Amino acid sequence: MSDFPTTARVVIIGGGVVGTSALYHLAKAGWTDCVLLEKNELTAGSTWHAAGNCPSFSTSWAVMNMQRYSLELYRTLADEVDYPMNYHVTGSIRLGHSKERMMEFERARAMGRYQGLDLEMMSLSDMKDRYPFMETHDLAGGLYDPDDGDIDPAQLTQALAKGARQMGARIERFCPATGVSRDGDEWIVHTDKGDIRCEKVVNAAGYYAQRVGEWFKPFGGRTVPMTVMSHQYFLTEPVAELEAWSKENGKLPLLRDVDSSYYLRQEKYGLNLGPYERNGKAHWIMPDDPMPEDFSFQLYPDDLERLEWYIEDAMARVPILGQSGVGRVINGPIPYAPDGLPLIGPMPGVPNAYEACVFTFGITQGGGAGKVLAEWVTEGQTEWDMWATDPRRFTDYTDQDYCNQKAMEVYGHEYAMHFPFHEWPAGRNKKLSPADGKVRDLGAVMGVYNGWERANWFAKPGDDTSEESTHTWARKGPWEQRVKEEAEAVRDSVGVLDLPGFSRYSVKGPGAKAWLDGLTTSRLPSPGRVGLVYFADSRGRILTEMSVFTYSDDELSLITAASAQWHDFEILRDALPADGSLTLTDHTTEYSALIVTGPKSRELFNRLGTDINLNAPWLTFHAGQVAGIPCTLARVSFAGELGWEIHAKVADIPVLYDFVLGAGATPIGMYALNSLRLEKGYRAWKGDLSTDYSLLEGGLDRFVKLDKPQDFPGKAALLSEKQQGVKKRFVTLTVDAGECDAPYMSSLWHDGQVVGETTSGGWGYRVNTSIALGMLRSDLVVPGTEVDVEIYGEMRKAVVQKDEPLWDSKNERLRA
């Protein structure tokens, strides 16, 4: 035991494909003094029984980036580390049963083309040519991914481990971690072989990640949001007809029937069928089914009855599947986060701790995940915006009941289409507005935002509010007329939006304003005023946006997006002075807000009665009373009309909401607000505002004060970018959009080249046109320039607009 490492820069807990990839990429980055701990042999968890499929396909921009990188790495890894691997790049075919599915394929194809992937749309004859054993009579078409295939998970893991060791990293097998503790700024990871002191710790413990996560709760952590699902696939005996064909033609492409929910892959001369069944099963969630201390290299009992429908469907699609018997059944544990995406990044609430766990598709994502994790650890930021996998995207609503419900839902809809107006029904009503009952009584059709239920739109009697009505990519639906009416009410009169869940923080102490001024690119508002401020990372990219209410030089309040609650709190927390002179507190659950906006909103407040000066200028706030109820009125409007935000104690919101409705306001929802903000060119966080773009690219020049004396994060990078010239620019486009508005990351084309992408889109009911916000090559950001937007496979004309709002370009209505 004399050579057991007692110190390291980083300790990784878990020796599956993700843990070894993280070690490999840390070593690649020059951090070779790192140790990986594995309780058994490498791959003993989900990795050893994984099917090893390697798609690049995703409808998430971040996940597609990650998977694309993985496949690029795997092509050269064997030669790089001199470790042979069975890696078969066979290509894959995804089957489309409907027009909607083919539209999804077109969207993914466009995203892939932007990233350098050669995804192809397929006709029925194309599919039959590439997969002659398949029945195609009931299909609409397909999608071909030439980079897809399968890899041996154990060999991949060993190759990554060998590469890491060659660079000087350390792996300790049969050395389970047993806990962690802190000594000053150091972590101490405890094992049966001894303790390891380190700067940083990574939880890469796979389906044991929740158990490992509990060790960090005394240091600010939370229970890792996950559920372990049972995933079955089976391998057939050799199929004579397939063997004869393969000897002439090679290996079949991997087949995915995404509407029936299974994959079918050639395995030697047999077939491998893996369904994601609607009647899935979770394990280790009940007292009579406890998680064992060690499940290394073990499987659950076979349970093929659950798969009966899928087996029959697959045999009808590929009849040779029924020509041979079942050779082997694999039924193993796979962890699921509530949205089916992994957790990669800072561990919420815990200093110098990270997560790289809860991977449902760890083999195809493992390479990219190691890269992303290593960037978080070594640089504190990532090349691509990875909010889609950031552990802080889930906050305090993700109790185990929620995780279990969502895991069952996501597993059973693994290949589901994510339509723009669809809301998934499982795990709902975790966080309710104090006015929730009243909102629903008015006909609200609800959506969920960081666990908070908010009205998306208000239905009238007879409107179709079924889940099925939302299974469309088109703008048209039961909501369209109602959203139009809500937007017009804001335009012509006054609307009210119940908006629970704003993330709220208070900073107090000597010099609080000066401290915050040193963190932001912006100039802070003076006392009594409210303003937007922006935070950049060291590259000058957009980290976040907050609204700041300045009370004095020593007291400020900050408000930010609901989904940013833990993310933005940590930005502030991590920058607090070490002397403890400032206090930072989270007040998210203590207050709520109503948005009251429209040209008649001042009249409405006068009818209600208030001691607050309603003629105070735009971007000011005042405490007082409305209808006798204490509150703060902030004269701001995300809708772009005369308006105020009412901020009040949670208990007072229902009464205020009733008063505002009684005074003549029309209830509106989030869909209307989204339409209204697009017309003003207002950006949305993690759509238009992300670390994929610098503040200058994002058109936020007026919020970048390079003449500030403070050396705020990103200042040098922004100064350099300004001197060298900005390559992309934020742009507002009006689009001849047809039935569908431009979704996030639709490609922009000009003269046969991709020249940019959309970041959000929708219909503007005040300007009566489809709008897209996006990023465009700088030389094309000239009003009147025509480009094409690729929307679900259709090229639609779009026109660059002036750098001003489409609605009320001079902000006269806002300032009225």
Side-chain angles (χ1 to χ4, degrees), residues 473-475 480 674-675 678-679 732-743 746 758 760-773 789 791-792 796-801 806:
W473 303 108
R475 179 187 324 109
E480 185 183 27
N674 186 58
S675 168
L678 285 169
E679 293 172 313
T732 300
L733 303 165
T734 55
V735 186
D736 175 21
E739 294 183 352
C740 304
D741 299 310
S746 299
T758 63
S760 58
W763 191 267
Y765 292 97
R766 289 177 299 194
V767 298
N768 197 35
T769 193
S770 184
I771 303 164
L773 308 183
V789 188
I791 303 178
Y792 303 114
R796 309 295 304 196
K797 291 293 181 189
V799 180
V800 175
Q801 302 299 302
L806 294 176

mmCIF file of all heavy atoms in Angstrom, residues 473-475 480 674-675 678-679 732-743 746 758 760-773 789 791-792 796-801 806:
data_model
loop_
_atom_site.group_PDB
_atom_site.id
_atom_site.type_symbol
_atom_site.label_atom_id
_atom_site.label_comp_id
_atom_site.label_asym_id
_atom_site.label_seq_id
_atom_site.Cartn_x
_atom_site.Cartn_y
_atom_site.Cartn_z
ATOM 1 N N TRP A 473 -45.856 20.867 -35.071
ATOM 2 C CA TRP A 473 -44.811 21.882 -35.150
ATOM 3 C C TRP A 473 -45.392 23.234 -35.567
ATOM 4 O O TRP A 473 -44.697 24.249 -35.512
ATOM 5 C CB TRP A 473 -43.747 21.473 -36.169
ATOM 6 C CG TRP A 473 -43.121 20.146 -35.894
ATOM 7 C CD1 TRP A 473 -43.300 18.985 -36.590
ATOM 8 C CD2 TRP A 473 -42.208 19.821 -34.835
ATOM 9 N NE1 TRP A 473 -42.564 17.963 -36.043
ATOM 10 C CE2 TRP A 473 -41.884 18.447 -34.961
ATOM 11 C CE3 TRP A 473 -41.633 20.559 -33.798
ATOM 12 C CZ2 TRP A 473 -41.006 17.806 -34.085
ATOM 13 C CZ3 TRP A 473 -40.765 19.919 -32.935
ATOM 14 C CH2 TRP A 473 -40.461 18.559 -33.076
ATOM 15 N N ALA A 474 -46.642 23.236 -35.991
ATOM 16 C CA ALA A 474 -47.250 24.433 -36.567
ATOM 17 C C ALA A 474 -47.680 25.421 -35.488
ATOM 18 O O ALA A 474 -47.923 25.068 -34.338
ATOM 19 C CB ALA A 474 -48.445 24.053 -37.435
ATOM 20 N N ARG A 475 -47.781 26.671 -35.891
ATOM 21 C CA ARG A 475 -48.260 27.726 -35.007
ATOM 22 C C ARG A 475 -49.750 27.568 -34.713
ATOM 23 O O ARG A 475 -50.227 27.886 -33.629
ATOM 24 C CB ARG A 475 -48.004 29.071 -35.698
ATOM 25 C CG ARG A 475 -48.445 30.301 -34.978
ATOM 26 C CD ARG A 475 -48.284 31.546 -35.859
ATOM 27 N NE ARG A 475 -47.114 31.483 -36.712
ATOM 28 C CZ ARG A 475 -47.170 31.312 -38.036
ATOM 29 N NH1 ARG A 475 -48.350 31.197 -38.654
ATOM 30 N NH2 ARG A 475 -46.066 31.261 -38.753
ATOM 31 N N GLU A 480 -53.936 29.561 -30.681
ATOM 32 C CA GLU A 480 -53.502 30.682 -31.519
ATOM 33 C C GLU A 480 -54.431 31.897 -31.405
ATOM 34 O O GLU A 480 -53.977 33.024 -31.182
ATOM 35 C CB GLU A 480 -53.398 30.237 -32.984
ATOM 36 C CG GLU A 480 -52.835 31.328 -33.875
ATOM 37 C CD GLU A 480 -52.800 30.931 -35.345
ATOM 38 O OE1 GLU A 480 -53.631 30.100 -35.767
ATOM 39 O OE2 GLU A 480 -51.955 31.463 -36.063
ATOM 40 N N ASN A 674 -44.265 35.951 -24.732
ATOM 41 C CA ASN A 674 -43.186 35.622 -25.654
ATOM 42 C C ASN A 674 -43.360 36.343 -26.982
ATOM 43 O O ASN A 674 -42.395 36.858 -27.562
ATOM 44 C CB ASN A 674 -43.131 34.110 -25.881
ATOM 45 C CG ASN A 674 -41.927 33.699 -26.710
ATOM 46 O OD1 ASN A 674 -40.787 33.964 -26.351
ATOM 47 N ND2 ASN A 674 -42.180 33.069 -27.848
ATOM 48 N N SER A 675 -44.570 36.391 -27.473
ATOM 49 C CA SER A 675 -44.845 37.110 -28.721
ATOM 50 C C SER A 675 -44.518 38.590 -28.574
ATOM 51 O O SER A 675 -43.865 39.190 -29.437
ATOM 52 C CB SER A 675 -46.318 36.929 -29.097
ATOM 53 O OG SER A 675 -46.687 37.817 -30.131
ATOM 54 N N LEU A 678 -40.696 39.293 -28.423
ATOM 55 C CA LEU A 678 -40.033 39.159 -29.715
ATOM 56 C C LEU A 678 -40.182 40.435 -30.538
ATOM 57 O O LEU A 678 -39.247 40.861 -31.234
ATOM 58 C CB LEU A 678 -40.612 37.971 -30.482
ATOM 59 C CG LEU A 678 -40.198 36.580 -30.010
ATOM 60 C CD1 LEU A 678 -41.058 35.515 -30.696
ATOM 61 C CD2 LEU A 678 -38.718 36.323 -30.301
ATOM 62 N N GLU A 679 -41.340 41.054 -30.479
ATOM 63 C CA GLU A 679 -41.579 42.289 -31.236
ATOM 64 C C GLU A 679 -40.686 43.434 -30.759
ATOM 65 O O GLU A 679 -40.401 44.365 -31.504
ATOM 66 C CB GLU A 679 -43.049 42.696 -31.123
ATOM 67 C CG GLU A 679 -43.986 41.718 -31.809
ATOM 68 C CD GLU A 679 -45.448 42.022 -31.513
ATOM 69 O OE1 GLU A 679 -45.785 42.252 -30.335
ATOM 70 O OE2 GLU A 679 -46.238 42.041 -32.455
ATOM 71 N N THR A 732 -32.590 40.980 -35.857
ATOM 72 C CA THR A 732 -34.028 40.703 -35.881
ATOM 73 C C THR A 732 -34.448 40.524 -37.334
ATOM 74 O O THR A 732 -34.103 41.336 -38.191
ATOM 75 C CB THR A 732 -34.834 41.849 -35.246
ATOM 76 O OG1 THR A 732 -34.435 42.010 -33.882
ATOM 77 C CG2 THR A 732 -36.324 41.559 -35.294
ATOM 78 N N LEU A 733 -35.170 39.434 -37.591
ATOM 79 C CA LEU A 733 -35.626 39.107 -38.941
ATOM 80 C C LEU A 733 -37.142 39.036 -38.964
ATOM 81 O O LEU A 733 -37.761 38.538 -38.022
ATOM 82 C CB LEU A 733 -35.080 37.754 -39.384
ATOM 83 C CG LEU A 733 -33.564 37.541 -39.376
ATOM 84 C CD1 LEU A 733 -33.245 36.058 -39.489
ATOM 85 C CD2 LEU A 733 -32.917 38.316 -40.513
ATOM 86 N N THR A 734 -37.735 39.512 -40.032
ATOM 87 C CA THR A 734 -39.129 39.175 -40.314
ATOM 88 C C THR A 734 -39.114 38.047 -41.334
ATOM 89 O O THR A 734 -38.314 38.057 -42.275
ATOM 90 C CB THR A 734 -39.916 40.378 -40.851
ATOM 91 O OG1 THR A 734 -39.252 40.906 -42.008
ATOM 92 C CG2 THR A 734 -40.034 41.457 -39.788
ATOM 93 N N VAL A 735 -39.963 37.069 -41.122
ATOM 94 C CA VAL A 735 -39.859 35.812 -41.858
ATOM 95 C C VAL A 735 -41.169 35.502 -42.574
ATOM 96 O O VAL A 735 -42.251 35.609 -41.986
ATOM 97 C CB VAL A 735 -39.532 34.653 -40.885
ATOM 98 C CG1 VAL A 735 -39.280 33.367 -41.667
ATOM 99 C CG2 VAL A 735 -38.323 34.985 -40.016
ATOM 100 N N ASP A 736 -41.055 35.115 -43.834
ATOM 101 C CA ASP A 736 -42.193 34.555 -44.567
ATOM 102 C C ASP A 736 -42.289 33.090 -44.151
ATOM 103 O O ASP A 736 -41.851 32.188 -44.859
ATOM 104 C CB ASP A 736 -41.960 34.686 -46.076
ATOM 105 C CG ASP A 736 -43.046 34.005 -46.898
ATOM 106 O OD1 ASP A 736 -44.147 33.790 -46.348
ATOM 107 O OD2 ASP A 736 -42.781 33.659 -48.062
ATOM 108 N N ALA A 737 -42.892 32.866 -42.994
ATOM 109 C CA ALA A 737 -42.677 31.596 -42.297
ATOM 110 C C ALA A 737 -43.643 30.482 -42.648
ATOM 111 O O ALA A 737 -43.410 29.343 -42.280
ATOM 112 C CB ALA A 737 -42.732 31.833 -40.783
ATOM 113 N N GLY A 738 -44.724 30.744 -43.337
ATOM 114 C CA GLY A 738 -45.667 29.670 -43.592
ATOM 115 C C GLY A 738 -46.345 29.216 -42.307
ATOM 116 O O GLY A 738 -46.655 30.020 -41.422
ATOM 117 N N GLU A 739 -46.529 27.893 -42.148
ATOM 118 C CA GLU A 739 -47.266 27.374 -41.000
ATOM 119 C C GLU A 739 -46.455 27.334 -39.718
ATOM 120 O O GLU A 739 -47.019 27.297 -38.629
ATOM 121 C CB GLU A 739 -47.758 25.950 -41.303
ATOM 122 C CG GLU A 739 -48.795 25.867 -42.404
ATOM 123 C CD GLU A 739 -49.283 24.448 -42.608
ATOM 124 O OE1 GLU A 739 -48.690 23.523 -41.997
ATOM 125 O OE2 GLU A 739 -50.250 24.265 -43.356
ATOM 126 N N CYS A 740 -45.132 27.316 -39.825
ATOM 127 C CA CYS A 740 -44.272 27.128 -38.652
ATOM 128 C C CYS A 740 -43.320 28.308 -38.497
ATOM 129 O O CYS A 740 -42.740 28.771 -39.477
ATOM 130 C CB CYS A 740 -43.451 25.852 -38.783
ATOM 131 S SG CYS A 740 -44.435 24.364 -39.034
ATOM 132 N N ASP A 741 -43.155 28.758 -37.262
ATOM 133 C CA ASP A 741 -42.158 29.779 -36.970
ATOM 134 C C ASP A 741 -40.799 29.116 -36.777
ATOM 135 O O ASP A 741 -40.703 27.913 -36.533
ATOM 136 C CB ASP A 741 -42.561 30.556 -35.716
ATOM 137 C CG ASP A 741 -43.900 31.263 -35.905
ATOM 138 O OD1 ASP A 741 -44.066 31.958 -36.919
ATOM 139 O OD2 ASP A 741 -44.784 31.103 -35.035
ATOM 140 N N ALA A 742 -39.752 29.918 -36.886
ATOM 141 C CA ALA A 742 -38.396 29.378 -36.812
ATOM 142 C C ALA A 742 -38.078 28.915 -35.395
ATOM 143 O O ALA A 742 -38.153 29.706 -34.455
ATOM 144 C CB ALA A 742 -37.391 30.443 -37.242
ATOM 145 N N PRO A 743 -37.719 27.643 -35.220
ATOM 146 C CA PRO A 743 -37.311 27.187 -33.894
ATOM 147 C C PRO A 743 -35.864 27.561 -33.607
ATOM 148 O O PRO A 743 -35.133 28.029 -34.487
ATOM 149 C CB PRO A 743 -37.473 25.669 -33.989
ATOM 150 C CG PRO A 743 -37.226 25.358 -35.422
ATOM 151 C CD PRO A 743 -37.722 26.553 -36.205
ATOM 152 N N SER A 746 -32.305 27.275 -36.062
ATOM 153 C CA SER A 746 -32.596 27.105 -37.490
ATOM 154 C C SER A 746 -31.480 27.789 -38.278
ATOM 155 O O SER A 746 -31.094 28.919 -37.965
ATOM 156 C CB SER A 746 -33.940 27.738 -37.854
ATOM 157 O OG SER A 746 -34.994 27.138 -37.150
ATOM 158 N N THR A 758 -30.876 31.032 -36.013
ATOM 159 C CA THR A 758 -31.869 31.691 -35.178
ATOM 160 C C THR A 758 -31.675 31.255 -33.732
ATOM 161 O O THR A 758 -31.189 30.159 -33.458
ATOM 162 C CB THR A 758 -33.296 31.344 -35.621
ATOM 163 O OG1 THR A 758 -33.508 29.937 -35.464
ATOM 164 C CG2 THR A 758 -33.529 31.724 -37.067
ATOM 165 N N SER A 760 -34.349 32.323 -31.406
ATOM 166 C CA SER A 760 -35.754 32.152 -31.004
ATOM 167 C C SER A 760 -36.633 32.695 -32.113
ATOM 168 O O SER A 760 -36.178 33.448 -32.974
ATOM 169 C CB SER A 760 -36.055 32.850 -29.667
ATOM 170 O OG SER A 760 -35.762 34.227 -29.725
ATOM 171 N N GLY A 761 -37.891 32.274 -32.085
ATOM 172 C CA GLY A 761 -38.813 32.718 -33.126
ATOM 173 C C GLY A 761 -40.248 32.562 -32.700
ATOM 174 O O GLY A 761 -40.562 31.784 -31.791
ATOM 175 N N GLY A 762 -41.135 33.285 -33.364
ATOM 176 C CA GLY A 762 -42.562 33.200 -33.065
ATOM 177 C C GLY A 762 -43.315 34.258 -33.848
ATOM 178 O O GLY A 762 -42.730 35.040 -34.611
ATOM 179 N N TRP A 763 -44.617 34.287 -33.642
ATOM 180 C CA TRP A 763 -45.471 35.238 -34.357
ATOM 181 C C TRP A 763 -45.669 36.492 -33.520
ATOM 182 O O TRP A 763 -45.918 36.413 -32.313
ATOM 183 C CB TRP A 763 -46.824 34.619 -34.668
ATOM 184 C CG TRP A 763 -47.639 35.457 -35.617
ATOM 185 C CD1 TRP A 763 -48.566 36.402 -35.311
ATOM 186 C CD2 TRP A 763 -47.567 35.429 -37.045
ATOM 187 N NE1 TRP A 763 -49.077 36.977 -36.441
ATOM 188 C CE2 TRP A 763 -48.477 36.390 -37.531
ATOM 189 C CE3 TRP A 763 -46.820 34.689 -37.954
ATOM 190 C CZ2 TRP A 763 -48.665 36.619 -38.889
ATOM 191 C CZ3 TRP A 763 -47.000 34.919 -39.315
ATOM 192 C CH2 TRP A 763 -47.921 35.874 -39.769
ATOM 193 N N GLY A 764 -45.551 37.649 -34.178
ATOM 194 C CA GLY A 764 -45.830 38.924 -33.521
ATOM 195 C C GLY A 764 -47.225 39.384 -33.883
ATOM 196 O O GLY A 764 -47.485 39.736 -35.041
ATOM 197 N N TYR A 765 -48.132 39.387 -32.914
ATOM 198 C CA TYR A 765 -49.533 39.706 -33.211
ATOM 199 C C TYR A 765 -49.783 41.198 -33.330
ATOM 200 O O TYR A 765 -50.773 41.609 -33.934
ATOM 201 C CB TYR A 765 -50.436 39.089 -32.136
ATOM 202 C CG TYR A 765 -50.434 37.576 -32.203
ATOM 203 C CD1 TYR A 765 -49.618 36.820 -31.374
ATOM 204 C CD2 TYR A 765 -51.211 36.904 -33.139
ATOM 205 C CE1 TYR A 765 -49.594 35.436 -31.458
ATOM 206 C CE2 TYR A 765 -51.193 35.522 -33.230
ATOM 207 C CZ TYR A 765 -50.378 34.790 -32.389
ATOM 208 O OH TYR A 765 -50.351 33.425 -32.478
ATOM 209 N N ARG A 766 -48.906 42.042 -32.793
ATOM 210 C CA ARG A 766 -49.070 43.479 -32.991
ATOM 211 C C ARG A 766 -48.535 43.912 -34.354
ATOM 212 O O ARG A 766 -49.044 44.871 -34.935
ATOM 213 C CB ARG A 766 -48.341 44.255 -31.880
ATOM 214 C CG ARG A 766 -48.993 44.145 -30.517
ATOM 215 C CD ARG A 766 -48.204 44.857 -29.426
ATOM 216 N NE ARG A 766 -46.854 44.315 -29.235
ATOM 217 C CZ ARG A 766 -46.081 44.584 -28.183
ATOM 218 N NH1 ARG A 766 -46.522 45.398 -27.221
ATOM 219 N NH2 ARG A 766 -44.875 44.057 -28.086
ATOM 220 N N VAL A 767 -47.512 43.231 -34.860
ATOM 221 C CA VAL A 767 -46.942 43.601 -36.160
ATOM 222 C C VAL A 767 -47.386 42.649 -37.261
ATOM 223 O O VAL A 767 -47.056 42.840 -38.433
ATOM 224 C CB VAL A 767 -45.403 43.666 -36.092
ATOM 225 C CG1 VAL A 767 -44.959 44.727 -35.098
ATOM 226 C CG2 VAL A 767 -44.803 42.307 -35.733
ATOM 227 N N ASN A 768 -48.108 41.603 -36.866
ATOM 228 C CA ASN A 768 -48.728 40.658 -37.796
ATOM 229 C C ASN A 768 -47.723 40.014 -38.746
ATOM 230 O O ASN A 768 -47.903 39.991 -39.955
ATOM 231 C CB ASN A 768 -49.841 41.351 -38.603
ATOM 232 C CG ASN A 768 -50.762 40.320 -39.245
ATOM 233 O OD1 ASN A 768 -51.028 39.262 -38.661
ATOM 234 N ND2 ASN A 768 -51.243 40.620 -40.439
ATOM 235 N N THR A 769 -46.661 39.483 -38.170
ATOM 236 C CA THR A 769 -45.681 38.757 -38.975
ATOM 237 C C THR A 769 -44.918 37.787 -38.091
ATOM 238 O O THR A 769 -44.913 37.908 -36.866
ATOM 239 C CB THR A 769 -44.696 39.727 -39.665
ATOM 240 O OG1 THR A 769 -43.958 39.026 -40.659
ATOM 241 C CG2 THR A 769 -43.734 40.344 -38.676
ATOM 242 N N SER A 770 -44.251 36.838 -38.739
ATOM 243 C CA SER A 770 -43.377 35.932 -38.017
ATOM 244 C C SER A 770 -42.026 36.605 -37.804
ATOM 245 O O SER A 770 -41.502 37.263 -38.703
ATOM 246 C CB SER A 770 -43.191 34.626 -38.796
ATOM 247 O OG SER A 770 -42.415 33.705 -38.077
ATOM 248 N N ILE A 771 -41.482 36.411 -36.609
ATOM 249 C CA ILE A 771 -40.238 37.077 -36.207
ATOM 250 C C ILE A 771 -39.226 36.012 -35.803
ATOM 251 O O ILE A 771 -39.581 35.012 -35.182
ATOM 252 C CB ILE A 771 -40.482 38.012 -35.005
ATOM 253 C CG1 ILE A 771 -41.560 39.053 -35.331
ATOM 254 C CG2 ILE A 771 -39.189 38.699 -34.566
ATOM 255 C CD1 ILE A 771 -42.114 39.748 -34.100
ATOM 256 N N ALA A 772 -37.973 36.237 -36.158
ATOM 257 C CA ALA A 772 -36.893 35.404 -35.640
ATOM 258 C C ALA A 772 -35.792 36.313 -35.122
ATOM 259 O O ALA A 772 -35.438 37.307 -35.770
ATOM 260 C CB ALA A 772 -36.351 34.471 -36.716
ATOM 261 N N LEU A 773 -35.292 36.001 -33.961
ATOM 262 C CA LEU A 773 -34.071 36.618 -33.460
ATOM 263 C C LEU A 773 -32.935 35.646 -33.730
ATOM 264 O O LEU A 773 -33.132 34.425 -33.701
ATOM 265 C CB LEU A 773 -34.177 36.910 -31.963
ATOM 266 C CG LEU A 773 -35.408 37.688 -31.495
ATOM 267 C CD1 LEU A 773 -35.324 37.953 -29.991
ATOM 268 C CD2 LEU A 773 -35.572 38.992 -32.259
ATOM 269 N N VAL A 789 -34.230 31.209 -44.147
ATOM 270 C CA VAL A 789 -34.270 30.478 -42.889
ATOM 271 C C VAL A 789 -34.753 29.067 -43.194
ATOM 272 O O VAL A 789 -35.793 28.884 -43.839
ATOM 273 C CB VAL A 789 -35.230 31.129 -41.870
ATOM 274 C CG1 VAL A 789 -35.099 30.446 -40.521
ATOM 275 C CG2 VAL A 789 -34.952 32.608 -41.740
ATOM 276 N N ILE A 791 -36.576 26.112 -42.083
ATOM 277 C CA ILE A 791 -37.564 25.774 -41.058
ATOM 278 C C ILE A 791 -38.149 24.409 -41.376
ATOM 279 O O ILE A 791 -38.923 24.260 -42.322
ATOM 280 C CB ILE A 791 -38.682 26.845 -40.991
ATOM 281 C CG1 ILE A 791 -38.082 28.235 -40.713
ATOM 282 C CG2 ILE A 791 -39.701 26.489 -39.914
ATOM 283 C CD1 ILE A 791 -39.105 29.360 -40.687
ATOM 284 N N TYR A 792 -37.757 23.396 -40.618
ATOM 285 C CA TYR A 792 -38.234 22.024 -40.814
ATOM 286 C C TYR A 792 -38.125 21.585 -42.276
ATOM 287 O O TYR A 792 -39.031 21.001 -42.839
ATOM 288 C CB TYR A 792 -39.674 21.892 -40.313
ATOM 289 C CG TYR A 792 -39.846 22.268 -38.869
ATOM 290 C CD1 TYR A 792 -40.594 23.390 -38.504
ATOM 291 C CD2 TYR A 792 -39.264 21.518 -37.857
ATOM 292 C CE1 TYR A 792 -40.755 23.752 -37.171
ATOM 293 C CE2 TYR A 792 -39.412 21.872 -36.525
ATOM 294 C CZ TYR A 792 -40.153 22.989 -36.194
ATOM 295 O OH TYR A 792 -40.299 23.341 -34.869
ATOM 296 N N ARG A 796 -37.328 29.451 -46.168
ATOM 297 C CA ARG A 796 -38.285 30.559 -46.115
ATOM 298 C C ARG A 796 -37.513 31.881 -46.130
ATOM 299 O O ARG A 796 -36.495 32.035 -45.451
ATOM 300 C CB ARG A 796 -39.137 30.481 -44.853
ATOM 301 C CG ARG A 796 -39.792 29.139 -44.588
ATOM 302 C CD ARG A 796 -40.820 28.737 -45.617
ATOM 303 N NE ARG A 796 -41.887 29.697 -45.813
ATOM 304 C CZ ARG A 796 -43.036 29.437 -46.424
ATOM 305 N NH1 ARG A 796 -43.265 28.213 -46.916
ATOM 306 N NH2 ARG A 796 -43.961 30.357 -46.569
ATOM 307 N N LYS A 797 -38.025 32.821 -46.903
ATOM 308 C CA LYS A 797 -37.374 34.120 -47.020
ATOM 309 C C LYS A 797 -37.474 34.901 -45.708
ATOM 310 O O LYS A 797 -38.494 34.868 -45.019
ATOM 311 C CB LYS A 797 -38.020 34.945 -48.134
ATOM 312 C CG LYS A 797 -37.753 34.409 -49.534
ATOM 313 C CD LYS A 797 -36.276 34.545 -49.899
ATOM 314 C CE LYS A 797 -36.002 34.022 -51.312
ATOM 315 N NZ LYS A 797 -34.556 33.958 -51.592
ATOM 316 N N ALA A 798 -36.399 35.620 -45.389
ATOM 317 C CA ALA A 798 -36.375 36.477 -44.204
ATOM 318 C C ALA A 798 -35.635 37.758 -44.554
ATOM 319 O O ALA A 798 -34.751 37.765 -45.415
ATOM 320 C CB ALA A 798 -35.685 35.773 -43.042
ATOM 321 N N VAL A 799 -35.993 38.826 -43.867
ATOM 322 C CA VAL A 799 -35.422 40.139 -44.154
ATOM 323 C C VAL A 799 -34.839 40.725 -42.875
ATOM 324 O O VAL A 799 -35.506 40.759 -41.825
ATOM 325 C CB VAL A 799 -36.477 41.105 -44.731
ATOM 326 C CG1 VAL A 799 -35.857 42.468 -45.016
ATOM 327 C CG2 VAL A 799 -37.088 40.522 -46.006
ATOM 328 N N VAL A 800 -33.601 41.188 -42.966
ATOM 329 C CA VAL A 800 -32.938 41.825 -41.829
ATOM 330 C C VAL A 800 -33.608 43.170 -41.547
ATOM 331 O O VAL A 800 -33.833 43.978 -42.460
ATOM 332 C CB VAL A 800 -31.441 42.026 -42.121
ATOM 333 C CG1 VAL A 800 -30.768 42.794 -40.989
ATOM 334 C CG2 VAL A 800 -30.756 40.687 -42.350
ATOM 335 N N GLN A 801 -33.908 43.412 -40.271
ATOM 336 C CA GLN A 801 -34.563 44.641 -39.861
ATOM 337 C C GLN A 801 -33.568 45.625 -39.242
ATOM 338 O O GLN A 801 -32.426 45.264 -38.915
ATOM 339 C CB GLN A 801 -35.669 44.322 -38.851
ATOM 340 C CG GLN A 801 -36.718 43.373 -39.378
ATOM 341 C CD GLN A 801 -37.453 43.927 -40.588
ATOM 342 O OE1 GLN A 801 -38.060 44.994 -40.531
ATOM 343 N NE2 GLN A 801 -37.399 43.191 -41.700
ATOM 344 N N LEU A 806 -39.317 46.162 -33.530
ATOM 345 C CA LEU A 806 -40.318 46.182 -34.601
ATOM 346 C C LEU A 806 -41.567 46.934 -34.155
ATOM 347 O O LEU A 806 -42.254 47.549 -34.972
ATOM 348 C CB LEU A 806 -40.701 44.740 -34.971
ATOM 349 C CG LEU A 806 -39.613 43.878 -35.606
ATOM 350 C CD1 LEU A 806 -40.122 42.459 -35.810
ATOM 351 C CD2 LEU A 806 -39.143 44.476 -36.925
#
